[in-house]
Amino acid sequence: MAIFKQKFIGNVIAIFFFATSSSQSQNSTVIKIGTDDSAPIISKHIYGHFAEHLGRSVYDGFYVGEDSSIPNTNGIRNDIIDALKGLKVPNLRWPGGCFADEYHWKDGVGPKQERPVIINTHWGQVEEDNSFGTHEFLKLCELLDAEPYLAGNVGSGTVEELNDWVEYCNYDGNTDMANWRKSNGQEEPWRVKYWGIGNESWGCGGNMTPEHFANLYRQYATYARNYPGSNIKRIASGADSDNYDWTEVMMRDVPHWMMWGLSLHYYTRTGWPPTGNATKFDESDYFLIMKHCLKTSEILDRHIAIMDKYDPKKRVALVVDEWGSWYAVEEGTNPGFAYQQNSMRDAMIAGISLNMFNERADRIKMANLAQAVNVLQAVILTDSEKMLLTPTYHVMKMYAAHQDSKLLPVSFESPEYTFNGESLPAISASASKDKNGLVHISLVNIDSQKENVVEIDCGELGVKGFSGTIVASKKLQDHNTFDNPGKIATKVFKDFKFKKGKLSVTIPPFSVVMIEGE
Ligand code: AHR
């Protein structure tokens, strides 16, 4: 069933033999929004986040310690908790990433002064004192009211170690593991549902072949047990971007009942190591990054086609548990810390990526932006006691309206955003209806120069009135700074007209708009 048609989403659609920027004239695009009883629910877990022991994500990010002068709860910053509550964070993935495959969870429980100090070999070779471990992370999830998603170590950990971790977290009884948890202050099991098994096992997680990993996965997944009242959802380490062979082998060699989800990582970046600065870029850099981001559509569709071949009933979820932009680090920061600023360009990436995930909600059941605080496409940046919310934060806040809502099929032909003779689809859209009958339409116009007018046929929706919000700014490079943290924020949007069942919206250049209809 084709539930959603968006022409031109994907690769470059046309090459023109002239070099020019877009003109100022308006386009008018007709968007048809239908209703389809068989359309899927957009899982709230598509709006998940990720916190790795990487750079200043955990230490000097989420976690400042109980003795910090920064207001905190059990060492976790209160301002970060409050801000993330605004996003309705559904789940948080931890402790990595690459770090997960060298993390031995037993190092991070018990009295802090007795916890060993290890080297974080992946990320800057800094010392890790394990002061933020399982109890601290699960407290963070409790404060956020988010589901924890723990990533288990397959690269350098044992089957027994993973089984012990599941038992420690989830078993309500009188075993050594359960009693150890209790003696460390947690009487009731946490009943953690989401368990990753390995991370990037084709690379930092062990440099394995897919055949080798598929077998290992079967073994580790077997011993990651369900305990009474705590059935778990196992998520297998999946492919990187266009490594379709990985998905093929995993789907072929692992029975569907062993794998709730298969992961996929796709970063919007140009090359490895990542190049370009997060805020110092020109339009050609912007265009290239948009092209890479729109490539997500093809990547998703090809992995999904393989999954459909082996699992036409869609029992195995695609879990995009790392996505987002990746640029060169900010000048003067540790090259191993992946700290980058976040501009209007990242707001575009967030808006179009989330629309692409919504569109495929029948297969994609979870996704995690990399990462929440101070790393890559962060929603929050901190500098000592200061904190700022990035443009990506504001987009995710608007899009929270789609969580657990029913997808409404959208079809249209996008106008083009043309630069230097190449074209990309300018408009991306997604729509849903929530439990209270509110309709939400998220619209992105990536054109750097031109506003685009969309005419939305709302005939079938039975909606009578609309309101809107927008994330926009004067320049593509605009971003929030610690001196001016409010430069980019969500604003009320009124540039639309509703007449005879047709909603006409004028979307400014490089902006993200959310329309709510009731
Ligand atoms: O998010 C940063 C890193 O990117 C993760 O540790 C790894 O899984 C990926 O390569």
Side-chain angles (χ1 to χ4, degrees), residues 333-358:
T333 65
N334 188 324
F337 278 17
Y339 176 79
Q340 63 191 43
Q341 249 291 358
N342 193 292
S343 74
M344 282 305 298
R345 176 171 65 172
D346 300 285
M348 300 299 105
I349 292 172
I352 53 186
S353 299
L354 293 167
N355 283 346
M356 288 189 263
F357 301 154
N358 287 351

Side-chain angles (χ1 to χ4, degrees), residues 50 52-54 93 95-101 122-123 199-200 202 204-205 240 265 267 269 272 321-323 326 338 369-371 375-376:
F50 176 30
E52 181 169 9
H53 285 234
L54 191 180
R93 179 171 181 248
C98 295
F99 182 76
D101 277 299
H122 282 291
W123 305 116
N199 170 76
E200 298 197 348
W202 40 264
C204 66
D240 180 35
H265 291 177
Y267 283 97
R269 65 182 171 212
W272 186 260
D321 55 12
E322 290 186 27
W323 68 272
W326 197 330
L369 174 64
Q371 297 193 9
V375 170
L376 301 178

Side-chain angles (χ1 to χ4, degrees), residues 187-204:
E187 188 62 29
E188 294 299 314
W190 289 284
R191 303 196 191 283
V192 175
K193 240 188 251 160
Y194 296 100
W195 289 86
I197 299 193
N199 170 76
E200 298 197 348
S201 305
W202 40 264
C204 66

